[in-house]
Amino acid sequence: MNVPPIAPGKLPLVGHAVPLIKDRLAFIQSLRAHGPIVRITVGPKSLTVVNSPELMHKMLTSQADEFTKGLLFEKLKLFGKDALPVAEGKPHLRRRRLMQPAFHRQQIAGYVNTMRETVQPYIAAWDGGTSLDLKTEMQLMTQGVVMSTMFSASPRRDPAYEILNSVDTVFRTAIKRALLPVSVLERLPTRRNRKADAAGTALRAAVADIIAEHRARPDAYDDIVSLLLTARDESGETLPDDEILSEVVGLLAAGSETTAVVLAWLFHELGRNPDLERRLHEEVDSVLATGPLTADRIPQLVHTRRLVSETLRLYSPAWLVTRKAISDVSLGEFSLPAGTDVIWSAYALHRDPDLYPDPLRFDPDRWLPERPQPPKGAFIPFGSGKRMCMGDAFAWTEATLITALVASRWRLRPTPETVRPVGAITTHPSSLHMVPELRRHSIAGTAR
């Protein structure tokens, strides 16, 4: 049996915990130098890291049925054990088929006007010259988009902020528990565990109010909550209330986090690249010169789309994704015993110099059609295969739209702080404050 090698630097008792704690992202990136598959340990816990894009592709596509979603997704069941993002096997397939129509491209085109009308008040409320916590602003904005398009809801800023804090708390808890060397620690009545439980309860309570409103006025809504309330399982029964609640909570959490951090990073890079910002403003001004941003105008934002692509590459939110071998598995030349915990990192993959020339340079023009493109399986910001994120087209549209609407009105200027990537549930900026400056020749009025 050809077992993957242990990565260098393992210490007695703690294994590779020290570099993992010191800088998760740098450590995960460094593992790519040690072969297509390598093992690390955190205390008594062993993790197998897949580095090869070819083997990642096999694991996510042709060999997907040989793995479950693994450690991280087990911990994300704080949102609900049956929600689509964490479901397995036949329940996952049934739920995905049920919800897929809400994410068809034609349906997403119908969301664009709602997205625009949701985002515009957030942008208009900014105070020129006053520093913004950009990640939080983008989280509130993307959370608002998910709630308006998927749930026909629009909470005021304070309740929305409470929901956001609850989501953040649950996400932070999940990533810490996934990396804990001993799972029994998460069951202790510590302050952190009590806080996570309280956040989950608060989040479910907020969503329960949305569901209750839909039940009270079923004819007033036509959205994904309505779809779940009227859905029937294979026996003809409606879905239990707890499953509906878990599904809506999972959608709310997953649907706002990824796009928000991508947007925060995108404007951070624009603040450092005036030429790219100028090109964005020229494109947006041209596309929006004759009217508001609508679904038929989104494809005209080609430079904007490349900015999103390059941000998804350089700051891929998926710095850590997990799988677990169901039975003994052969992956490439290596053998993985049943129960092996596997991790892979799109963040590390997308920064590999063997796949991307000058990988640390933010260069949206690398996505021009005349430029050499990365090999198949080397750009997977939303995963691949049958468990690929169902909301990828929604996220592309939302990120492009928000980028254009912000750029139509504001320049975002950097502040004198050090900004570095942090491996949380996604790849967060350590701290990111920017100052909005109203564009003198903006076309914000027509962008509405």
Side-chain angles (χ1 to χ4, degrees):
M1 185 169 71
N2 191 9
V3 177
I6 292 279
K10 180 184 176 183
L11 297 174
L13 299 179
V14 297
H16 298 89
V18 173
L20 191 60
I21 292 169
K22 185 178 179 181
D23 190 336
R24 296 170 181 172
L25 298 178
F27 177 62
I28 290 295
Q29 185 75 51
S30 72
L31 295 175
R32 299 191 65 75
H34 303 302
I37 303 182
V38 66
R39 286 182 295 149
I40 62 172
T41 62
V42 184
K45 181 185 291 185
S46 177
L47 300 169
T48 296
V49 185
V50 177
N51 291 319
S52 158
E54 294 81 13
L55 296 184
M56 282 184 199
H57 184 72
K58 286 184 178 181
M59 182 174 64
L60 299 176
T61 56
S62 60
Q63 294 185 241
D65 290 340
E66 299 180 65
F67 298 88
T68 63
K69 290 186 173 180
L71 268 175
L72 181 57
F73 295 93
E74 280 293 322
K75 306 312 177 185
L76 284 172
K77 289 185 178 181
L78 283 162
F79 287 123
K81 62 184 178 67
D82 299 312
L84 178 62
V86 297
E88 300 281 7
K90 289 183 179 178
H92 172 268
L93 181 60
R94 286 195 299 267
R95 197 59 52 84
R96 190 177 178 101
R97 285 174 175 169
L98 168 64
M99 298 173 66
Q100 191 75 59
F103 294 95
H104 285 163
R105 292 187 180 275
Q106 186 175 358
Q107 189 72 22
I108 291 168
Y111 296 149
V112 168
N113 289 345
T114 302
M115 288 181 178
R116 187 188 67 242
E117 296 302 323
T118 301
V119 167
Q120 202 65 47
Y122 288 93
I123 297 171
W126 289 350
D127 183 11
T130 301
S131 177
L132 297 170
D133 178 342
L134 197 63
K135 182 174 78 74
T136 298
E137 288 298 314
M138 291 303 171
Q139 284 177 304
L140 287 169
M141 207 179 294
T142 55
Q143 178 178 280
V145 167
V146 171
M147 295 186 79
S148 62
T149 55
M150 300 281 116
F151 314 147
S152 306
S154 53
R156 296 183 305 278
R157 187 175 177 93
D158 286 349
Y161 196 75
E162 290 174 12
I163 292 171
L164 178 61
N165 280 337
S166 295
V167 170
D168 277 350
T169 298
V170 173
F171 274 147
R172 283 196 304 271
T173 301
I175 192 67
K176 287 174 181 174
R177 289 182 177 179
L179 296 173
L180 276 174
V182 184
S183 61
V184 70
L185 299 176
E186 66 193 56
R187 295 191 290 272
L188 298 177
T190 62
R191 184 180 64 84
R192 184 175 290 169
N193 287 341
R194 290 196 301 271
K195 186 177 179 181
D197 291 341
T201 300
L203 188 56
R204 292 170 75 84
V207 169
D209 290 342
I210 295 171
I211 295 172
E213 167 64 19
H214 278 68
R215 284 199 186 279
R217 297 195 301 144
D219 295 336
Y221 300 102
D222 180 19
D223 55 25
I224 207 161
V225 178
S226 308
L227 179 68
L228 290 166
L229 287 170
T230 56
R232 305 274 172 173
D233 63 20
E234 59 271 23
S235 63
E237 298 294 322
T238 56
L239 299 177
D241 283 359
D242 193 58
E243 286 191 24
I244 296 172
L245 186 63
S246 294
E247 209 60 72
V248 176
V249 168
L251 276 172
L252 176 58
S256 53
E257 172 73 13
T258 299
T259 309
V261 296
V262 168
L263 287 164
W265 283 120
L266 189 155
F267 283 103
H268 167 66
E269 286 293 343
L270 287 178
R272 306 199 301 175
N273 292 275
D275 180 61
L276 295 178
E277 182 187 57
R278 176 188 55 76
R279 288 167 58 190
L280 170 64
H281 290 159
E282 289 174 353
E283 177 175 87
V284 168
D285 291 354
S286 174
V287 171
L288 300 187
T290 56
L293 186 53
T294 52
D296 61 326
R297 288 192 170 104
I298 294 282
Q300 299 173 38
L301 296 167
V302 291
H303 176 64
T304 311
R305 169 91 176 199
R306 288 197 296 271
L307 288 168
V308 175
S309 296
E310 181 65 349
T311 309
L312 281 166
R313 183 198 68 81
L314 187 57
Y315 299 103
S316 179
W319 79 273
L320 178 74
V321 188
T322 62
R323 291 292 185 266
K324 183 188 285 285
I326 296 172
S327 55
D328 293 351
V329 176
S330 292
L331 192 60
E333 62 181 285
F334 298 101
S335 300
L336 309 182
T340 297
D341 285 311
V342 179
I343 62 177
W344 60 275
S345 173
Y347 176 91
L349 176 73
H350 294 166
R351 288 174 168 232
D352 191 325
D354 290 337
L355 302 171
Y356 295 93
D358 198 4
L360 300 186
R361 180 175 173 233
F362 185 81
D363 178 19
D365 288 344
R366 75 172 74 239
W367 301 102
L368 287 167
E370 60 267 26
R371 295 269 293 268
Q373 296 301 296
K376 182 180 179 181
F379 183 60
I380 49 172
F382 296 98
S384 186
K386 65 182 182 181
R387 291 191 179 116
M388 179 176 174
C389 175
M390 188 171 61
D392 65 322
F394 184 99
W396 278 108
T397 300
E398 179 187 20
T400 304
L401 177 140
I402 292 177
T403 300
L405 291 182
V406 171
S408 73
R409 187 180 188 108
W410 300 102
R411 285 186 171 90
L412 292 175
R413 292 289 174 246
T415 59
E417 64 179 346
T418 300
V419 182
R420 58 183 178 82
V422 174
I425 194 71
T426 55
T427 309
H428 282 195
S430 53
S431 177
L432 179 56
H433 292 80
M434 300 190 78
V435 178
E437 178 185 292
L438 194 63
R439 292 183 59 205
R440 291 182 181 180
H441 304 294
S442 75
I443 52 170
T446 60
R448 299 177 189 181

